Amino acid sequence: MNSHNEENLKSLILLSIEGRESSFQQLYEHLSDQLFRFVFARCSNREDTLDLLQDIFVDLWKALPKFKYSTDAEFYSFVFTITRRKLSKYYRFKNKSVVFDEKYIRENYEIQPEDYWLLEKIIPRLKDKYRQVLELRYFSDFTFAQIAKFLNIKESTAKVQHHRAIKQLSDIIKKYE
Amino acid sequence: MNSNINNKLEKIKTKSLSSTEKDTLWQGISHDINQENNLSFFSLLFSRKVVFNIAIAILVIFGGFIATVQAADRAKPGDKLYALDRAVENIQITFASPANKDKLKIKFSQERASEIQGVIKKNIDEDFEFEKDKNKNSNVGNNVGNIEESSHDALKYIIKVRNELFEKNNQIAVDDLDILLESVQASLATLPDNMKVDVEIEEENNKAEFRINFKDEDGQFKIKYKSAENNKNNRNTNDKEEEDEDENEDIELKNQKLDNINNDEEEDEDENEDDDKDDKEDEDR
């Protein structure tokens, strides 16, 4: 997501708005990894994530003519609005559950299964605002600027909350050990 | 400790999309957006959602109009939609083929007759209710006015159609309309005394004329209505018959006893109502 500088991203967005498919493909290359992580962190099913991503990008293409570019941040907000809408539809009709066994974790994550299970137990015990920042920062690979925009908070606040979340997490792990 | 946790968190990232997954995903997206682009203006216009919205709009606009016109078709003299009913009929006649024009006029004449008969029935029912319960407010005055107006309109319409068809030598239709006029007369005869309306229909120079006599609680009134245009044969021989239809409509109101009404009394048109009352009082004495 960070491979394009601001000017490139703006021109890609504007050309995509005009209906140029090759520019939209570049935009897809730019957004797909982060969107994949964001969606996968919420539906925990690779197949469903790929289906959802396809729908999200098609919806984005259809919605782009209505989008008026002002800043990149506005554009990301626009993209994640579409994504959240798709996810909320998905939750309504979701009837699959995934077992996070060793095989599944090794296939989908870089982390060791025992570390995953530990974090999976501890993170839900954090305050909601800290948990959200950690999920966005690590599961979805957001920058602090993106987290701030996504949660509608200041970037400095996002950094402070991240710092406190890590500290709280360390305290809880100490108690476990 | 914090750095240890940070390391673990850094690794909790989901593995990125493989290049194969990315390509396959793009092919799917590209296929879908091209299908989207291929939708022409008309196919977009007639997409399910648009068609649904248009259908709803049409239903609301025309459904409302049709419902109003249908309601107007059932309207009776005195109803708010009655004028619309008549207007719709006139439009139907205007746009009908010459062959259908006469059929429509006969049909609407029948409607006029059934409307006035409906008004008569309603008034008789109301009068019956009033007789049962004298405490109720009497509506007789209004009813008489309503019957007078409705009878006048209905008979004027039917006679106009009847005379038009007579000019066209459509004797069968004329006979039917004469029967219709008689049935209206018969219905008017069923009215109670306090709202009596007597109708005499005469044929003069091959055209129908009628006069309506009715009385209310204060006495009797006579309405004379001289019907539509004269037929062509008489037009050249009689100057009076060359007058416009509106000029021929001559309504006279007189406070006279119903029994005394005859053709000679038409000459007494200029007498005022006070004189009539005095005469009546003298007679009563």
Side-chain angles (χ1 to χ4, degrees), chain A residues 107-120:
Chain A
E107 277 175 5
N108 292 287
Y109 298 94
E110 293 168 6
I111 196 171
Q112 292 299 309
E114 54 273 23
D115 289 338
Y116 182 91
W117 292 323
L118 177 67
L119 288 172
E120 192 193 32

Side-chain angles (χ1 to χ4, degrees), chain B residues 185 198-202 209-213 261-263:
Chain B
Q185 266 182 295
D198 285 344
V199 178
E200 293 172 34
I201 299 174
E202 297 171 352
E209 285 188 0
F210 71 92
R211 69 171 58 83
I212 303 172
N213 300 306
I261 296 168
N262 54 45
N263 290 340

Side-chain angles (χ1 to χ4, degrees), chain A residues 61-89:
Chain A
W61 172 259
K62 284 195 272 185
L64 269 176
K66 295 175 204 159
F67 177 73
K68 199 173 178 183
Y69 178 87
S70 54
T71 61
D72 286 358
E74 284 295 327
F75 176 70
Y76 288 126
S77 172
F78 181 66
V79 172
F80 279 100
T81 303
I82 293 171
T83 306
R84 274 184 288 196
R85 206 179 293 149
K86 276 281 164 212
L87 276 167
S88 68
K89 270 188 188 173

Side-chain angles (χ1 to χ4, degrees), chain A residues 10 18 22 24 38 51 55 64 88 90 105 124 126 139 146:
Chain A
K10 183 183 175 183
E18 287 172 14
S22 57
F24 187 66
F38 182 83
D51 288 344
D55 289 349
L64 269 176
S88 68
Y90 170 79
I105 293 168
L126 298 174
F139 287 81
Q146 288 168 338

Side-chain angles (χ1 to χ4, degrees), chain A residues 14-64:
Chain A
L14 292 175
L15 289 168
S16 300
I17 289 171
E18 287 172 14
R20 189 180 288 187
E21 197 182 318
S22 57
S23 303
F24 187 66
Q25 188 176 1
Q26 285 178 273
L27 208 54
Y28 160 79
E29 295 286 346
H30 175 68
L31 293 168
S32 56
D33 277 333
Q34 189 171 26
L35 278 181
F36 174 78
R37 288 198 182 99
F38 182 83
V39 175
F40 187 75
R42 280 151 187 81
C43 77
S44 304
N45 183 309
R46 205 170 182 91
E47 283 305 311
D48 288 355
T49 304
L50 291 171
D51 288 344
L52 279 168
L53 269 191
Q54 182 165 331
D55 289 349
I56 289 163
F57 277 102
V58 174
D59 278 7
L60 177 62
W61 172 259
K62 284 195 272 185
L64 269 176

